Amino acid sequence: MTDELNEIHSHDVVIIGAGGAGLRAAIEARSLGASVAVVCKSLFGKAHTVMAEGGMAAAMGNVWKEDNWRVHFRDTMRGGKMLNNYRMAELHAKEAPDRVYELEEWGALFDRTKDGLILQRDFGGHKYARLAHVGDRTGLELIRTLQQKATSMDIDVYMECKIVKLLKDSSGAVVGALGFWRNSGEFVLFKGKSFILASGGIGKSWKFTSNSWESTGDGHALAVTAGADLIDMEFVQFHPTGMVWPLSVRGLLVTEGVRGDGGVLRNSLDKRFMFNYIPEMFAAETADTEEEGDRWYEDKSNNRRPPELLPRDEVARSINSEVKAGRGSPHGGVFLDIASRRSPEYIKRRLPSMYHQFKALADVDITATAMEVGPTCHYVMGGVRVDADTAASTVDGLFAAGEVAGGMHGSNRLGGNSLSDLVVFGKRAGEFAAKRALGMTKDVEVDQAEVRLAVEEALAPFNRSQGDNPFKVQQEIQETMQNLVGIIRNQQELEQAHSEIERLKERVKQAGASTTSRRFNSAWHTALDLVSMITVSEAVAKAALLRKESRGGHTREDFPKADPEFGKINHVVRITNGEMSVKPEPLPQMTPELAEIFKDDVK
Amino acid sequence: MADLNVKLWRGDDNGGELVDYTIEAQEGEVVLDVVHRIQATQAPDLAVRWNCKAGKCGSCSAEINGKPSLMCMTRTSVFEPGETITITPMKTFPIIRDLVTDVSFNFKMLKKVPALKPKAREADGTYRMFQEDIERGQEFRKCIECFLCQNVCHVIRDHEENKTNYAGPRLFIRYADLEMHPLDTNDRLSLLQDKMGLGMCNITKCCTEVCPEHIHITDNAIIPLKERVVGDRYDPLVWLGKKIFRKSKTKVAVTE
Ligand SMILES: Cc1cc2nc3c(=O)[nH]c(=O)nc-3n(C[C@H](O)[C@H](O)[C@H](O)COP(=O)(O)OP(=O)(O)OC[C@H]3O[C@@H](n4cnc5c(N)ncnc54)[C@H](O)[C@@H]3O)c2cc1C
Ligand code: SF4
Ligand code: SF4
Ligand code: FES
């Protein structure tokens, strides 16, 4: 093919990503008899999923018998401000409990109720205590369980390998993925009949983020570049509680479990300010006095939930307003206080890694003093447009599941709904990708010229010996997105973001590999990550400019209210002839039976 | 603030050396931040692994002034003013480049672990497990696979040849996790003793000392496993008498 390519692997199903979604897909596809490859950028078991803390949402009804899939479905849709793909939300609510039980059978040791069942905890936006969890390290349990299951199933794992291009055949179906080994810098081609993107999020494009180096939006960029549609890219979730001090840990996540377990938010006047920010949509189910909110933890039937547990977008915006009004904490956040409300033993048992994190990194004992917290970029609701039932994208042979897929969470995701999303749709993607592959009779052909071109593109940073420092360019992208496409947006700043992005596209083309060595060369790796980051940044900024309303993870200063007309559309991002465009398309309408669930709601 | 003096090991499998870097100190930083700032400003090709920056993923293991540690959980404030911070890769694993080592040995060993074989569900379709039944298992499952314990264990650190027949502390924890799992029905004791080198561990506890998750590797995992092996082989009455949680188990064939 080319001198550069000495390694080719052929599989029925090739999965890009080894987080919760990728691993669950792999297990499903393998159990149906497909030969499966899992490719990931980090070591096996280090994907972002490992960092998840609070838990996974599933209406099992172990703590509150009243809970069922309808209530979970309603919470999810309302949390997403009704912009969710209703069918995904429905499947998710119905199937999540089985996916949790299956993890238990594969060895996951969730915390237990007194009756020996899986314990569930409270989280924002969920009517009942619904999150299966292991202290505050649920993601570790999830990824380890899936990893151990996959390891026992004869699945081929290709770790520390970055996919840089999806390759299509003449019919337009994806048939190959070109990657390189981070360790050696050698190229490798994966040929396959079905491909599943499970590549996670995009948070690395913001300065203050809870996301790791991996979250550069590679999957989003690979998909849109291959001709697939993305939807809802303007919706980016800023988690209300990230650490703000010391600077070096700014953005690091403080789990919502702190509030679920009794923690409250206060401003510099020591006031629980969230009572001033209860939106009409949630007024009927939110406590309006501190006393009622406090009673709710023990007696949910006769009391309403405290406003600290409103959906994340509401809480993040409120914190932002308090800080702007000059009522913030010394380092520009607000106070999250559980110390004065729960015993040290309780806090250490329920939130061991938060205790450890603050103690070790900030010299703060959270059982004695309040934490300082503020919003941090956390999750992207937007992603690859998929068919709800099969997880198929709009390009043949390409599927997507997990954070890289769009639609499920609408304009705002509820906490705990991601881990369950990963396993529900990971399983579905694995199933339908395997069925497609096993039903194909012909072998796939990859165009050699295309491979050659993709290799050349990937090696380009080595031809820029005088190239720019990629870390510098990365920082400029992060500053741009943080300052101009952040938690609160407006027309003028978004327009400025557009011209910045055009300028940065040129900067990305100048980023160099620093030395000629290809062996674990971080400059080269980062230079290639920039290509994804800038593509995704452009998609977010373009969609954000067009949505002239505020909804969920998209807040416009100049259009502070939700607009019912925008409530009827999704923005679809597409690349045609090298040009990225954004078009509105009507939101799928739910069936009358499902609509019935919302009949008494305030809009 | 004052400058920090940092020595970083740079090189690959052909050899390398400690290289000096000077960089301005910043308040509240961890060693990984310093390495990242060196990478961003002075050495963009520097090879280093990380993911979570919060002690949760186990990617950033290295030896800091000779002490095996997570770079993201080591504050720079623990060093004396003017003290040089020397950062070298984990010694037990082959070098790939700079601070990145080839840890595939661990994944190969993990692949050899016979999987969990769950017992049947209760009549009502659930599994009943009580918090006290799973507390020990939860301790083992806190492991973030940083492989620092593997790195310090002298059985493989000083004897490369043992890597074919010694699983190491991380793996012993994994075996203990399965052996004490309330749902499991497999028996891996012969495998552990005959192929995984459990007998070669002489309980020096170096592994426990470096574990960032504070798992009691020796006391809670290795010693109970050793007791079970002894009991299983020589004196069934010993283990019957012991208050160890155990179910009837099927033996796993000793295979590779
Ligand atoms: C700190 C933190 C706490 C969280 N807590 C919770 C919680 O309590 N509950 C909850 O529901 N959600 C939580 N979330 C969100 C949730 O963890 C993530 O949304 C979810 O884990 C994403 O999983 P995934 O499988 O889609 O992708 P990831 O776990 O992000 O994995 C992505 C995979 O794709 C691979 N990849 C990416 N690009 C490429 C490429 N080009 N080539 C090859 N491989 C590639 C990566 O290497 C990785 O293996 C939390 C998130 C964070 C950051
Ligand atoms: S106690 Fe055993 S496993 Fe741990 S370091 Fe010592 S010899 Fe190795
Ligand atoms: S047992 Fe501890 S030291 Fe060993 S790999 Fe796990 S977390 Fe690391
Ligand atoms: S970066 Fe995850 S443990 Fe250090």
Side-chain angles (χ1 to χ4, degrees), chain A residues 46 53 105 109 111-112 115-116 141 145 160 212-213 357 360 469 519 522-523, chain B residues 33 40 44 46 49-51 53 56-57 75 97 121 128-129 131 138 141 145:
Chain A
K46 313 293 184 201
E53 295 167 357
E105 184 170 322
L109 293 177
D111 288 350
R112 315 305 293 185
D115 309 328
E141 190 68 13
T145 304
E160 300 201 298
S212 83
W213 73 270
Q357 181 174 314
N469 178 344
R519 197 170 252 243
S522 300
Chain B
D33 292 319
L46 174 72
R49 284 195 185 105
W50 71 284
N51 280 77
K53 220 164 114 24
K56 293 187 172 119
C57 72
R75 297 276 293 274
R97 187 166 176 213
R121 289 175 182 277
R128 299 270 167 174
M129 289 185 259
Q131 192 64 37
Q138 287 190 328
R141 294 178 69 82
E145 296 194 336

mmCIF file of all heavy atoms in Angstrom, chain A residues 46 53 105 109 111-112 115-116 141 145 160 212-213 357 360 469 519 522-523, chain B residues 33 40 44 46 49-51 53 56-57 75 97 121 128-129 131 138 141 145:
data_model
loop_
_atom_site.group_PDB
_atom_site.id
_atom_site.type_symbol
_atom_site.label_atom_id
_atom_site.label_comp_id
_atom_site.label_asym_id
_atom_site.label_seq_id
_atom_site.Cartn_x
_atom_site.Cartn_y
_atom_site.Cartn_z
ATOM 1 N N LYS A 46 -8.288 3.188 31.344
ATOM 2 C CA LYS A 46 -8.037 4.567 31.778
ATOM 3 C C LYS A 46 -8.981 5.554 31.111
ATOM 4 O O LYS A 46 -8.815 6.767 31.276
ATOM 5 C CB LYS A 46 -6.593 4.992 31.451
ATOM 6 C CG LYS A 46 -5.507 4.005 31.839
ATOM 7 C CD LYS A 46 -5.379 3.857 33.325
ATOM 8 C CE LYS A 46 -4.226 2.930 33.696
ATOM 9 N NZ LYS A 46 -4.389 2.400 35.064
ATOM 10 N N GLU A 53 -18.096 9.588 39.073
ATOM 11 C CA GLU A 53 -18.108 9.513 40.527
ATOM 12 C C GLU A 53 -19.445 9.046 41.084
ATOM 13 O O GLU A 53 -19.576 7.967 41.632
ATOM 14 C CB GLU A 53 -17.733 10.899 41.080
ATOM 15 C CG GLU A 53 -16.308 11.270 40.705
ATOM 16 C CD GLU A 53 -15.961 12.744 40.940
ATOM 17 O OE1 GLU A 53 -16.846 13.513 41.352
ATOM 18 O OE2 GLU A 53 -14.795 13.110 40.706
ATOM 19 N N GLU A 105 -24.130 -9.047 37.898
ATOM 20 C CA GLU A 105 -23.861 -10.454 37.599
ATOM 21 C C GLU A 105 -22.433 -10.642 37.090
ATOM 22 O O GLU A 105 -21.837 -11.703 37.244
ATOM 23 C CB GLU A 105 -24.865 -10.936 36.553
ATOM 24 C CG GLU A 105 -24.744 -12.403 36.227
ATOM 25 C CD GLU A 105 -25.924 -12.881 35.373
ATOM 26 O OE1 GLU A 105 -27.061 -12.439 35.600
ATOM 27 O OE2 GLU A 105 -25.691 -13.695 34.475
ATOM 28 N N LEU A 109 -19.602 -4.642 42.458
ATOM 29 C CA LEU A 109 -20.064 -4.643 43.849
ATOM 30 C C LEU A 109 -20.618 -3.262 44.208
ATOM 31 O O LEU A 109 -19.917 -2.421 44.758
ATOM 32 C CB LEU A 109 -18.919 -5.022 44.794
ATOM 33 C CG LEU A 109 -18.391 -6.458 44.701
ATOM 34 C CD1 LEU A 109 -17.200 -6.665 45.642
ATOM 35 C CD2 LEU A 109 -19.487 -7.483 45.009
ATOM 36 N N ASP A 111 -22.882 -0.523 46.265
ATOM 37 C CA ASP A 111 -23.311 -0.374 47.656
ATOM 38 C C ASP A 111 -24.718 -0.964 47.807
ATOM 39 O O ASP A 111 -25.501 -0.960 46.865
ATOM 40 C CB ASP A 111 -23.308 1.112 48.060
ATOM 41 C CG ASP A 111 -21.876 1.640 48.222
ATOM 42 O OD1 ASP A 111 -20.941 0.824 48.199
ATOM 43 O OD2 ASP A 111 -21.699 2.873 48.366
ATOM 44 N N ARG A 112 -25.016 -1.482 49.023
ATOM 45 C CA ARG A 112 -26.256 -2.253 49.211
ATOM 46 C C ARG A 112 -27.268 -1.562 50.125
ATOM 47 O O ARG A 112 -26.894 -0.795 51.018
ATOM 48 C CB ARG A 112 -25.937 -3.624 49.830
ATOM 49 C CG ARG A 112 -24.766 -4.378 49.247
ATOM 50 C CD ARG A 112 -24.833 -4.610 47.785
ATOM 51 N NE ARG A 112 -25.905 -5.517 47.362
ATOM 52 C CZ ARG A 112 -26.044 -5.903 46.089
ATOM 53 N NH1 ARG A 112 -25.212 -5.483 45.150
ATOM 54 N NH2 ARG A 112 -27.047 -6.697 45.755
ATOM 55 N N ASP A 115 -31.722 -4.522 52.839
ATOM 56 C CA ASP A 115 -32.241 -5.818 52.395
ATOM 57 C C ASP A 115 -31.287 -6.561 51.475
ATOM 58 O O ASP A 115 -31.653 -7.596 50.914
ATOM 59 C CB ASP A 115 -33.556 -5.641 51.615
ATOM 60 C CG ASP A 115 -34.552 -4.796 52.366
ATOM 61 O OD1 ASP A 115 -34.527 -4.869 53.610
ATOM 62 O OD2 ASP A 115 -35.333 -4.072 51.719
ATOM 63 N N GLY A 116 -30.117 -6.008 51.243
ATOM 64 C CA GLY A 116 -29.154 -6.700 50.395
ATOM 65 C C GLY A 116 -29.317 -6.411 48.907
ATOM 66 O O GLY A 116 -28.733 -7.083 48.065
ATOM 67 N N GLU A 141 -15.781 1.288 39.048
ATOM 68 C CA GLU A 141 -16.438 -0.015 39.155
ATOM 69 C C GLU A 141 -17.026 -0.430 37.809
ATOM 70 O O GLU A 141 -16.914 -1.587 37.384
ATOM 71 C CB GLU A 141 -17.542 0.055 40.213
ATOM 72 C CG GLU A 141 -18.138 -1.273 40.597
ATOM 73 C CD GLU A 141 -17.152 -2.161 41.354
ATOM 74 O OE1 GLU A 141 -16.093 -1.668 41.791
ATOM 75 O OE2 GLU A 141 -17.441 -3.363 41.494
ATOM 76 N N THR A 145 -15.495 -3.604 35.708
ATOM 77 C CA THR A 145 -16.374 -4.744 35.487
ATOM 78 C C THR A 145 -16.449 -5.075 33.992
ATOM 79 O O THR A 145 -16.319 -6.239 33.595
ATOM 80 C CB THR A 145 -17.781 -4.440 36.037
ATOM 81 O OG1 THR A 145 -17.653 -4.090 37.412
ATOM 82 C CG2 THR A 145 -18.695 -5.638 35.908
ATOM 83 N N GLU A 160 -3.398 2.454 23.235
ATOM 84 C CA GLU A 160 -2.487 3.545 22.902
ATOM 85 C C GLU A 160 -2.306 3.660 21.394
ATOM 86 O O GLU A 160 -1.199 3.761 20.869
ATOM 87 C CB GLU A 160 -1.159 3.396 23.654
ATOM 88 C CG GLU A 160 -1.391 3.412 25.172
ATOM 89 C CD GLU A 160 -0.166 3.762 25.981
ATOM 90 O OE1 GLU A 160 0.812 3.004 25.906
ATOM 91 O OE2 GLU A 160 -0.167 4.786 26.689
ATOM 92 N N SER A 212 -10.337 14.933 30.546
ATOM 93 C CA SER A 212 -8.921 14.608 30.425
ATOM 94 C C SER A 212 -8.378 14.980 29.044
ATOM 95 O O SER A 212 -9.113 15.458 28.190
ATOM 96 C CB SER A 212 -8.700 13.113 30.662
ATOM 97 O OG SER A 212 -8.951 12.397 29.467
ATOM 98 N N TRP A 213 -7.100 14.717 28.828
ATOM 99 C CA TRP A 213 -6.476 15.040 27.540
ATOM 100 C C TRP A 213 -7.143 14.332 26.369
ATOM 101 O O TRP A 213 -7.068 14.764 25.237
ATOM 102 C CB TRP A 213 -4.985 14.693 27.559
ATOM 103 C CG TRP A 213 -4.721 13.208 27.507
ATOM 104 C CD1 TRP A 213 -4.601 12.371 28.571
ATOM 105 C CD2 TRP A 213 -4.563 12.387 26.339
ATOM 106 N NE1 TRP A 213 -4.399 11.076 28.143
ATOM 107 C CE2 TRP A 213 -4.362 11.060 26.781
ATOM 108 C CE3 TRP A 213 -4.569 12.646 24.963
ATOM 109 C CZ2 TRP A 213 -4.177 9.994 25.894
ATOM 110 C CZ3 TRP A 213 -4.398 11.579 24.086
ATOM 111 C CH2 TRP A 213 -4.199 10.276 24.561
ATOM 112 N N GLN A 357 -9.509 13.930 47.755
ATOM 113 C CA GLN A 357 -9.143 14.906 46.724
ATOM 114 C C GLN A 357 -8.901 16.302 47.324
ATOM 115 O O GLN A 357 -7.913 16.958 47.008
ATOM 116 C CB GLN A 357 -10.279 14.930 45.693
ATOM 117 C CG GLN A 357 -10.115 15.857 44.522
ATOM 118 C CD GLN A 357 -11.260 15.655 43.504
ATOM 119 O OE1 GLN A 357 -11.618 14.540 43.158
ATOM 120 N NE2 GLN A 357 -11.854 16.743 43.042
ATOM 121 N N ALA A 360 -5.785 16.183 49.821
ATOM 122 C CA ALA A 360 -4.478 16.051 49.186
ATOM 123 C C ALA A 360 -4.149 17.226 48.270
ATOM 124 O O ALA A 360 -3.001 17.636 48.189
ATOM 125 C CB ALA A 360 -4.424 14.743 48.388
ATOM 126 N N ASN A 469 4.433 25.713 18.435
ATOM 127 C CA ASN A 469 4.283 24.798 19.558
ATOM 128 C C ASN A 469 2.801 24.410 19.684
ATOM 129 O O ASN A 469 1.951 25.257 19.942
ATOM 130 C CB ASN A 469 4.769 25.515 20.827
ATOM 131 C CG ASN A 469 4.612 24.648 22.062
ATOM 132 O OD1 ASN A 469 3.893 23.649 22.056
ATOM 133 N ND2 ASN A 469 5.284 25.051 23.128
ATOM 134 N N ARG A 519 8.566 8.353 18.230
ATOM 135 C CA ARG A 519 8.296 7.533 19.394
ATOM 136 C C ARG A 519 7.641 8.362 20.504
ATOM 137 O O ARG A 519 8.219 9.335 20.964
ATOM 138 C CB ARG A 519 9.646 7.014 19.879
ATOM 139 C CG ARG A 519 9.571 5.866 20.784
ATOM 140 C CD ARG A 519 10.979 5.361 20.951
ATOM 141 N NE ARG A 519 11.103 4.113 20.240
ATOM 142 C CZ ARG A 519 11.372 2.965 20.875
ATOM 143 N NH1 ARG A 519 11.560 2.963 22.171
ATOM 144 N NH2 ARG A 519 11.459 1.865 20.201
ATOM 145 N N SER A 522 4.809 13.619 22.147
ATOM 146 C CA SER A 522 3.605 14.327 22.602
ATOM 147 C C SER A 522 3.277 15.540 21.738
ATOM 148 O O SER A 522 2.110 15.914 21.604
ATOM 149 C CB SER A 522 3.775 14.776 24.049
ATOM 150 O OG SER A 522 3.988 13.660 24.865
ATOM 151 N N ALA A 523 4.289 16.175 21.182
ATOM 152 C CA ALA A 523 4.033 17.341 20.336
ATOM 153 C C ALA A 523 3.256 16.912 19.089
ATOM 154 O O ALA A 523 2.275 17.545 18.686
ATOM 155 C CB ALA A 523 5.347 18.002 19.944
ATOM 156 N N ASP B 33 1.741 18.845 37.236
ATOM 157 C CA ASP B 33 1.594 20.200 36.668
ATOM 158 C C ASP B 33 2.946 20.734 36.198
ATOM 159 O O ASP B 33 3.044 21.362 35.148
ATOM 160 C CB ASP B 33 1.060 21.183 37.721
ATOM 161 C CG ASP B 33 -0.373 20.894 38.123
ATOM 162 O OD1 ASP B 33 -1.173 20.583 37.236
ATOM 163 O OD2 ASP B 33 -0.671 20.986 39.336
ATOM 164 N N ALA B 40 4.884 21.951 27.934
ATOM 165 C CA ALA B 40 4.235 22.987 27.125
ATOM 166 C C ALA B 40 5.194 24.100 26.715
ATOM 167 O O ALA B 40 5.000 24.730 25.679
ATOM 168 C CB ALA B 40 3.046 23.573 27.877
ATOM 169 N N PRO B 44 8.224 20.098 24.119
ATOM 170 C CA PRO B 44 6.914 19.631 23.641
ATOM 171 C C PRO B 44 6.864 18.141 23.299
ATOM 172 O O PRO B 44 5.795 17.552 23.292
ATOM 173 C CB PRO B 44 6.670 20.471 22.385
ATOM 174 C CG PRO B 44 7.578 21.639 22.498
ATOM 175 C CD PRO B 44 8.761 21.183 23.291
ATOM 176 N N LEU B 46 8.128 15.757 25.069
ATOM 177 C CA LEU B 46 8.292 14.956 26.291
ATOM 178 C C LEU B 46 7.166 13.925 26.428
ATOM 179 O O LEU B 46 5.989 14.251 26.335
ATOM 180 C CB LEU B 46 8.273 15.893 27.513
ATOM 181 C CG LEU B 46 8.290 15.229 28.876
ATOM 182 C CD1 LEU B 46 9.665 14.622 29.149
ATOM 183 C CD2 LEU B 46 7.946 16.234 29.966
ATOM 184 N N ARG B 49 2.484 9.934 30.610
ATOM 185 C CA ARG B 49 1.076 9.508 30.591
ATOM 186 C C ARG B 49 0.296 10.202 31.701
ATOM 187 O O ARG B 49 0.826 10.390 32.797
ATOM 188 C CB ARG B 49 0.971 8.003 30.860
ATOM 189 C CG ARG B 49 1.327 7.113 29.719
ATOM 190 C CD ARG B 49 0.822 5.697 30.018
ATOM 191 N NE ARG B 49 1.239 4.768 28.997
ATOM 192 C CZ ARG B 49 2.215 3.861 29.155
ATOM 193 N NH1 ARG B 49 2.858 3.772 30.290
ATOM 194 N NH2 ARG B 49 2.507 3.043 28.169
ATOM 195 N N TRP B 50 -0.953 10.512 31.447
ATOM 196 C CA TRP B 50 -1.864 10.999 32.490
ATOM 197 C C TRP B 50 -3.266 10.918 31.951
ATOM 198 O O TRP B 50 -3.466 10.794 30.746
ATOM 199 C CB TRP B 50 -1.540 12.442 32.901
ATOM 200 C CG TRP B 50 -1.897 13.467 31.855
ATOM 201 C CD1 TRP B 50 -1.196 13.720 30.707
ATOM 202 C CD2 TRP B 50 -3.032 14.336 31.838
ATOM 203 N NE1 TRP B 50 -1.833 14.702 30.002
ATOM 204 C CE2 TRP B 50 -2.958 15.100 30.663
ATOM 205 C CE3 TRP B 50 -4.106 14.547 32.716
ATOM 206 C CZ2 TRP B 50 -3.924 16.058 30.329
ATOM 207 C CZ3 TRP B 50 -5.059 15.500 32.385
ATOM 208 C CH2 TRP B 50 -4.953 16.252 31.205
ATOM 209 N N ASN B 51 -4.269 10.973 32.800
ATOM 210 C CA ASN B 51 -5.654 11.130 32.362
ATOM 211 C C ASN B 51 -6.477 11.988 33.303
ATOM 212 O O ASN B 51 -7.020 12.995 32.909
ATOM 213 C CB ASN B 51 -6.357 9.772 32.193
ATOM 214 C CG ASN B 51 -5.997 9.120 30.884
ATOM 215 O OD1 ASN B 51 -4.913 8.558 30.739
ATOM 216 N ND2 ASN B 51 -6.875 9.201 29.911
ATOM 217 N N LYS B 53 -5.749 13.391 36.526
ATOM 218 C CA LYS B 53 -5.142 14.419 37.373
ATOM 219 C C LYS B 53 -5.804 14.487 38.749
ATOM 220 O O LYS B 53 -5.880 15.548 39.371
ATOM 221 C CB LYS B 53 -5.196 15.786 36.687
ATOM 222 C CG LYS B 53 -3.912 16.584 36.886
ATOM 223 C CD LYS B 53 -3.822 17.710 35.910
ATOM 224 C CE LYS B 53 -3.885 19.091 36.532
ATOM 225 N NZ LYS B 53 -3.522 19.325 37.882
ATOM 226 N N LYS B 56 -7.256 9.026 40.165
ATOM 227 C CA LYS B 56 -8.350 8.081 39.946
ATOM 228 C C LYS B 56 -8.102 7.082 38.824
ATOM 229 O O LYS B 56 -8.834 6.115 38.688
ATOM 230 C CB LYS B 56 -9.616 8.839 39.579
ATOM 231 C CG LYS B 56 -10.138 9.669 40.710
ATOM 232 C CD LYS B 56 -11.480 10.251 40.346
ATOM 233 C CE LYS B 56 -12.049 10.896 41.581
ATOM 234 N NZ LYS B 56 -12.288 12.282 41.468
ATOM 235 N N CYS B 57 -7.111 7.361 37.960
ATOM 236 C CA CYS B 57 -6.986 6.504 36.784
ATOM 237 C C CYS B 57 -5.716 5.654 36.814
ATOM 238 O O CYS B 57 -5.612 4.671 36.100
ATOM 239 C CB CYS B 57 -7.027 7.339 35.512
ATOM 240 S SG CYS B 57 -5.530 8.309 35.228
ATOM 241 N N ARG B 75 2.262 16.852 45.840
ATOM 242 C CA ARG B 75 2.329 18.312 45.846
ATOM 243 C C ARG B 75 3.781 18.764 45.832
ATOM 244 O O ARG B 75 4.640 18.157 46.482
ATOM 245 C CB ARG B 75 1.665 18.861 47.127
ATOM 246 C CG ARG B 75 0.188 18.538 47.236
ATOM 247 C CD ARG B 75 -0.651 19.541 46.484
ATOM 248 N NE ARG B 75 -0.610 20.866 47.090
ATOM 249 C CZ ARG B 75 -1.411 21.272 48.073
ATOM 250 N NH1 ARG B 75 -2.301 20.447 48.570
ATOM 251 N NH2 ARG B 75 -1.332 22.490 48.551
ATOM 252 N N ARG B 97 9.674 5.609 26.196
ATOM 253 C CA ARG B 97 10.369 6.890 26.046
ATOM 254 C C ARG B 97 10.129 7.758 27.273
ATOM 255 O O ARG B 97 9.003 7.790 27.793
ATOM 256 C CB ARG B 97 9.866 7.619 24.790
ATOM 257 C CG ARG B 97 10.668 8.863 24.512
ATOM 258 C CD ARG B 97 10.425 9.404 23.130
ATOM 259 N NE ARG B 97 11.175 10.650 22.998
ATOM 260 C CZ ARG B 97 10.768 11.680 22.273
ATOM 261 N NH1 ARG B 97 9.644 11.623 21.616
ATOM 262 N NH2 ARG B 97 11.498 12.763 22.216
ATOM 263 N N ARG B 121 -29.281 -16.752 40.398
ATOM 264 C CA ARG B 121 -30.012 -15.722 41.126
ATOM 265 C C ARG B 121 -30.983 -16.339 42.126
ATOM 266 O O ARG B 121 -31.339 -17.506 42.011
ATOM 267 C CB ARG B 121 -30.813 -14.865 40.139
ATOM 268 C CG ARG B 121 -29.946 -13.977 39.301
ATOM 269 C CD ARG B 121 -30.758 -13.235 38.247
ATOM 270 N NE ARG B 121 -29.864 -12.420 37.429
ATOM 271 C CZ ARG B 121 -29.432 -11.202 37.778
ATOM 272 N NH1 ARG B 121 -29.827 -10.663 38.909
ATOM 273 N NH2 ARG B 121 -28.608 -10.539 37.005
ATOM 274 N N ARG B 128 -28.916 -11.243 46.479
ATOM 275 C CA ARG B 128 -28.880 -10.559 47.778
ATOM 276 C C ARG B 128 -27.451 -10.593 48.282
ATOM 277 O O ARG B 128 -26.868 -11.660 48.437
ATOM 278 C CB ARG B 128 -29.787 -11.268 48.787
ATOM 279 C CG ARG B 128 -31.241 -11.309 48.385
ATOM 280 C CD ARG B 128 -31.991 -10.107 48.893
ATOM 281 N NE ARG B 128 -33.295 -10.060 48.203
ATOM 282 C CZ ARG B 128 -34.264 -9.213 48.484
ATOM 283 N NH1 ARG B 128 -34.099 -8.324 49.444
ATOM 284 N NH2 ARG B 128 -35.396 -9.226 47.820
ATOM 285 N N MET B 129 -26.897 -9.413 48.488
ATOM 286 C CA MET B 129 -25.555 -9.330 49.105
ATOM 287 C C MET B 129 -25.651 -8.242 50.145
ATOM 288 O O MET B 129 -26.279 -7.213 49.901
ATOM 289 C CB MET B 129 -24.505 -8.937 48.068
ATOM 290 C CG MET B 129 -24.180 -10.001 47.050
ATOM 291 S SD MET B 129 -22.822 -9.445 45.984
ATOM 292 C CE MET B 129 -23.725 -8.928 44.530
ATOM 293 N N GLN B 131 -23.957 -5.379 52.824
ATOM 294 C CA GLN B 131 -22.807 -4.474 52.803
ATOM 295 C C GLN B 131 -21.576 -5.122 53.446
ATOM 296 O O GLN B 131 -20.478 -5.040 52.927
ATOM 297 C CB GLN B 131 -23.169 -3.149 53.491
ATOM 298 C CG GLN B 131 -22.155 -2.029 53.277
ATOM 299 C CD GLN B 131 -22.033 -1.605 51.802
ATOM 300 O OE1 GLN B 131 -23.013 -1.568 51.071
ATOM 301 N NE2 GLN B 131 -20.818 -1.317 51.374
ATOM 302 N N GLN B 138 -14.892 -4.591 47.986
ATOM 303 C CA GLN B 138 -14.855 -3.187 47.565
ATOM 304 C C GLN B 138 -13.476 -2.578 47.813
ATOM 305 O O GLN B 138 -13.020 -1.742 47.048
ATOM 306 C CB GLN B 138 -15.935 -2.379 48.298
ATOM 307 C CG GLN B 138 -17.348 -2.680 47.776
ATOM 308 C CD GLN B 138 -18.396 -1.724 48.317
ATOM 309 O OE1 GLN B 138 -18.279 -1.234 49.440
ATOM 310 N NE2 GLN B 138 -19.440 -1.475 47.535
ATOM 311 N N ARG B 141 -11.408 -3.667 44.965
ATOM 312 C CA ARG B 141 -11.849 -3.090 43.698
ATOM 313 C C ARG B 141 -11.602 -1.581 43.603
ATOM 314 O O ARG B 141 -11.890 -0.960 42.593
ATOM 315 C CB ARG B 141 -13.311 -3.467 43.417
ATOM 316 C CG ARG B 141 -13.448 -4.985 43.191
ATOM 317 C CD ARG B 141 -14.869 -5.425 42.955
ATOM 318 N NE ARG B 141 -15.398 -4.979 41.685
ATOM 319 C CZ ARG B 141 -15.178 -5.586 40.519
ATOM 320 N NH1 ARG B 141 -14.427 -6.663 40.457
ATOM 321 N NH2 ARG B 141 -15.703 -5.111 39.413
ATOM 322 N N GLU B 145 -5.079 0.362 39.201
ATOM 323 C CA GLU B 145 -4.101 -0.211 38.257
ATOM 324 C C GLU B 145 -3.001 0.773 37.882
ATOM 325 O O GLU B 145 -2.705 0.995 36.703
ATOM 326 C CB GLU B 145 -4.813 -0.805 37.027
ATOM 327 C CG GLU B 145 -5.704 -1.971 37.451
ATOM 328 C CD GLU B 145 -6.210 -2.871 36.330
ATOM 329 O OE1 GLU B 145 -6.278 -2.417 35.183
ATOM 330 O OE2 GLU B 145 -6.518 -4.043 36.633
#
